[in-house]
Amino acid sequence: MMNKKIIKGALFIIAMILCINVSAKNKVIASRGDFASRFLIVVDNDTYNASKHEITEYKKVLENEGLGVNILIGKWSNPDVLRSEIRELYMKKPVMEGAVFVGNIPVVRVQNFQHSTTAFKMDEEKFPIEEASVTSDRFYDDLDLEFELIKQDENAPHIFYYKIKESSPQVISSDFYSARMLPPTDMEVDPNILLKRYLQKVIAAHKERNPLDRLVIFNGHGYNSDCLTAWQNEQFAIKEQIPLAFKSSKGNGFYNFRQDPFMKFRLFEKMQQSGTDLFIFHEHGAFDTQYINGEYPAPNELEKSGPLNVMSISLRNTYRRYKGERAERFKADVIKEYGFTEEFFNKERLDSLRVSDSLFAASFNIVLNDLPKIKMQPKISIFDACYNGSFHQPGYIAGYHVFGNGNTIVAQGNTVNVLQDKWSLELVGMLAEGARAGFWQKEFQYLESHMIGDPTYYFYSEGAKELNHRLAKYPGDTAKWRDYLNSDNINRQVLAIKQISKSDDKNLSAELLTIFKESRHYSVRMEAFKRLIETRDNNAIEAVRLGLDDSYELIRRFAARYAAYYGDDLLIAPLVHTILFSNESQRVQYAAQSSLQMFEAPNVVNEIMRQVNASNITDKESTIKSFSQYYIRQESSQERALKSIKDKKEKFETRMSAVRGLRNYNNHKQVSSLLQVLKDNSDDNKIRVALAEALGWFKLSIHRDAIYEALQTVNRDSSSSEQLKLETLQSLERLK
């Protein structure tokens, strides 16, 4: 008996040694049991020691759900060491589906990868590295990307700056989902206490059987051009994706900043409404602010304030933010436009009103100081806004929501500015089907998008276990998803379209076009359209043409945007029709108006004349004149910019500004001239490098093949500088 006990004890010690891999001071606590997939908790030593019980219980509740959990505990001097340890664990079986970074894990901020953001474009040479970098955990969760260390932050040693290598893949394709459990450090509560309290509510939430049947969506001031058609259409699409929320009036609420001059107080009520599962904020934002009503509220403000007083407060607060010449220009404009006198800007008067003005202005928007008093109830909050997910800041909006006094388990937010015209709720129906929140995030990642909190959280659904198993084991496996394509469940159809689109099937484009044409469901058509327009073939052009007349505003908006990226003259007629006859869709009209600048002005003008003359527009002559003159002026401006690019005697700053403008405006009609500049080895090397980078944004252009060939020629030219070779290499990778 004694011998058996000794043997068992020895075997137990050996097993523990195998489970705990000591490398430097880092260790791994392995999962216990037989699991189809694994999840990784990465936590620093101090945080683990402070929250060991809660982290252990978190591991236990996940393993009770059937998800194996490894815990990697350590102290990392730099992100590369951690990344190599994650890679080693990822390569083991079973599949590692996700990870969460808990506590003080090194933060990576990335340069040279702006094309993998939705909107962020900042001159990395001109602006400080702190402003021109994107905080991103794609460093950890996309193991194919290749990075090069720039430096460690002198003032914040936990932050490291990297650049994406030019030879790296230039498209994000994360190997696993990830999130941050990083409590804000400025909440006047010890971050370890916040984390322990947070994990306790996470553990409790995992023991519930909570379906997604209650949601709230809010649109803030200035979002999507305040277009009511966009706001209305989203409701139709959400009803398809989250049907349980529409069984009663209590299940859904759609709010707009217009409904109250101080809407934030209504939102506080909704954020604390018991039973809310999902809260979506469409808004403008900063790391410490959710912009709700805007600086200049509507004139029907509180009667005691009066519209003139409200405007005066807003003008004074704006003026206080400006300095020097900018302040003087603003003052002059206000005096001229509104009839105010110099006395309005008197320094003593401004100082005496500073506090009251500040208190009044604070009623327009949600700021960090508001949030500790709010007991958040939504299990998941989505911040479709700039900077709200900036976890590198001591305090950040998403962190306050997640780690505050409430029941919020996980939030999604962005670390830099974000494009309004992205499909921010793509595949959101996955959540209603019981997909883990991290799987949803993984399906449409950008460099700036992140989850804060527990990415393993999911809403109850009978098919949740099977769905999460598929997402973990068979992402992109066409054969495993085709049965979903024929499902009566719209969310399964949409997910199947996304998964089969990851294959190299040559017939996929035609199949997607058929789905786009035939489906009566908003989200199914939109997913087929989005996957199709990235293929750059004739079916994609046809989808854009048809999309400009689709009943779903978001499809029309995407079609109007992508028409500019393609530059095919077949799209001129539907774009012109949009700018003339779609006044109810401001954001679509705006996109169409911008896109038409990328076509030859005479062709655009002729089409404007044809459609106006064939219409019942009252003042045909004036309409033709105003639109035609606009596009003629735009083309003249473009020609001046091209002339500057080509003129070696022009000021360097002027040439560079014109080149950088091509990143936003893919001017297809100038491509042949631009390629001449690119290939001219007697021209300024910096201009050629910037042009090589700008041409990498032309990935859908009708001239893509010519651009690719020219970049390849320059890359192979022995006389090209090393910097130019690297930039052309990166653009070639992007155009692939």
Side-chain angles (χ1 to χ4, degrees), residues 427 430 467 471 481 491-499:
L427 294 163
M430 288 173 60
L467 174 58
L471 289 166
W481 293 94
N491 291 323
R492 291 192 174 196
Q493 287 184 42
V494 173
L495 186 54
I497 291 168
K498 179 65 186 290
Q499 297 300 328

Side-chain angles (χ1 to χ4, degrees), residues 5-20:
K5 286 183 178 179
I6 292 171
I7 292 170
K8 282 184 178 180
L11 289 173
F12 176 76
I13 292 169
I14 292 169
M16 290 300 295
I17 292 171
L18 291 173
C19 288
I20 303 176

Side-chain angles (χ1 to χ4, degrees), residues 490-510:
I490 293 169
N491 291 323
R492 291 192 174 196
Q493 287 184 42
V494 173
L495 186 54
I497 291 168
K498 179 65 186 290
Q499 297 300 328
I500 66 174
S501 296
K502 297 175 183 178
S503 72
D504 295 325
D505 186 351
K506 294 181 180 179
N507 298 317
L508 181 62
S509 173

Side-chain angles (χ1 to χ4, degrees), residues 673-715:
S673 296
L674 296 172
L675 295 183
Q676 290 177 15
V677 177
L678 176 72
K679 292 187 284 189
D680 184 356
N681 56 19
S682 68
D683 208 333
D684 188 302
N685 185 65
K686 288 187 176 181
I687 294 295
R688 295 176 71 199
V689 169
L691 185 54
E693 192 268 340
L695 288 167
W697 296 81
F698 284 62
K699 63 180 182 178
L700 297 177
S701 172
I702 54 172
H703 301 301
R704 174 198 166 280
D705 293 342
I707 295 170
Y708 191 91
E709 183 179 341
L711 288 166
Q712 206 167 47
T713 299
V714 173
N715 182 261

Side-chain angles (χ1 to χ4, degrees), residues 58-76:
Y58 176 50
K59 169 182 163 72
K60 187 184 298 183
V61 78
L62 294 183
E63 293 191 333
N64 287 339
E65 293 175 0
L67 179 60
V69 178
N70 290 351
I71 305 177
L72 173 59
I73 308 162
K75 183 176 181 180
W76 294 275

Side-chain angles (χ1 to χ4, degrees), residues 126-195:
K126 182 178 179 181
F127 288 90
I129 194 169
E130 295 81 7
E131 296 179 33
S133 303
V134 182
T135 301
S136 184
D137 279 338
R138 301 299 86 80
F139 179 90
Y140 295 117
D141 62 37
D142 189 339
L143 299 173
D144 295 321
L145 297 177
E146 299 172 12
F147 296 91
E148 179 182 315
L149 178 65
I150 300 174
K151 71 167 190 173
Q152 184 175 8
D153 194 298
E154 298 89 346
N155 300 315
H158 66 291
I159 293 177
F160 296 78
Y161 296 94
Y162 284 79
K163 61 170 283 190
I164 194 79
K165 288 185 178 180
E166 290 80 3
S167 57
S168 168
Q170 299 295 316
V171 177
I172 293 171
S173 181
S174 293
D175 297 282
F176 53 89
Y177 61 77
S178 71
R180 285 267 174 172
M181 285 188 189
L182 181 58
T185 57
D186 66 345
M187 286 184 71
E188 298 183 355
V189 179
D190 186 285
N192 286 323
I193 294 175
L194 291 175
L195 179 64

